[in-house]
Amino acid sequence: MVKLNIYYSDKQLILEADGQVRKVQSRISSNEALKIECQHHLAMLYGSLYTLNQFNFKNQIEAAYWLGDESIREAYRKYKNLGWYDQLMKDNIEIESEVTQVQVDLSKYPYPALIQGFIVFRKGYSTEKFILNGSCYLQKTDRTFPHNPHGLFIVNWQPELKEIKK
């Protein structure tokens, strides 16, 4: 089986978006794979907690709760107290997010992480932009698809939101 696996993994091809067929050549280490999973896990948090509209916000918040500890619920309560979700429902606002950078230190456990990005509140043609930076720690846990496919758990989520003045 090992010989077959090596043989076939050396013969894999991939069809690129530009129509080119290329041989799959890269093999990544388990450390690189873990780093990619950590980065994607944090991007999932951004997508769940900070990409919302009046139709999806309850499901998005529920999805965010699967990714980490009570600190995510605290962030939700903070935004709720600021009136985000009432405004979302009342004024048909959409909140979009984008991750611009994720840093994870795999030399320490739990893994300290920093995430940078921004969110945009859209109401018709009007927009408000915010820089959203966050810090946390990532711990390993059981994988539960589709709720927590990376087997990582966010601990001590500390978001920092700053409005970008026009």
Side-chain angles (χ1 to χ4, degrees):
M1 288 301 283
V2 172
K3 286 181 183 179
L4 279 174
N5 184 26
I6 292 169
Y7 174 80
Y8 283 113
S9 59
D10 286 339
K11 306 278 185 252
Q12 292 178 356
L13 301 175
I14 188 166
L15 178 61
E16 298 284 350
D18 63 3
Q20 296 290 325
V21 176
R22 291 182 176 69
K23 185 177 176 184
V24 176
Q25 296 193 9
S26 67
R27 293 184 193 241
I28 61 173
S29 69
S30 60
N31 214 28
E32 288 176 283
L34 177 59
K35 185 174 182 177
I36 291 167
E37 285 191 300
C38 289
Q39 291 171 338
H40 188 256
H41 193 76
L42 291 168
M44 285 176 59
L45 175 66
Y46 251 65
S48 297
L49 199 55
Y50 302 106
T51 303
L52 309 166
N53 63 43
Q54 66 182 359
F55 303 109
N56 74 0
F57 90 94
K58 288 183 182 178
N59 290 337
Q60 292 290 89
I61 299 302
E62 177 73 24
Y65 286 169
W66 281 92
L67 302 176
D69 70 357
E70 186 64 27
S71 61
I72 293 173
R73 287 168 178 76
E74 283 297 318
Y76 166 77
R77 284 190 283 275
K78 174 184 168 184
Y79 302 132
K80 185 175 182 172
N81 289 338
L82 290 172
W84 277 26
Y85 308 114
D86 293 336
Q87 189 178 3
L88 189 79
M89 296 299 289
K90 185 179 82 168
D91 296 336
N92 192 22
I93 291 177
E94 290 187 35
I95 304 173
E96 299 171 1
S97 68
E98 183 176 324
V99 174
T100 56
Q101 185 176 6
V102 177
Q103 298 173 353
V104 181
D105 182 358
L106 297 179
S107 67
K108 302 174 188 166
Y109 186 83
Y111 313 120
L114 298 171
I115 184 169
Q116 298 173 343
F118 62 90
I119 60 174
V120 178
F121 280 61
R122 295 191 191 281
K123 179 182 176 189
Y125 295 108
S126 160
T127 61
E128 290 180 70
K129 295 182 181 182
F130 298 85
I131 294 172
L132 178 62
N133 296 326
S135 64
C136 65
Y137 294 90
L138 292 166
Q139 296 177 341
K140 291 183 179 181
T141 188
D142 293 333
R143 292 176 189 261
T144 54
F145 186 80
H147 302 296
N148 191 337
H150 303 301
L152 295 165
F153 198 69
I154 297 167
V155 177
N156 196 26
W157 172 243
Q158 299 292 320
E160 183 183 318
L161 194 61
K162 294 179 187 174
E163 186 172 4
I164 301 172
K165 301 291 181 184
K166 294 180 182 178

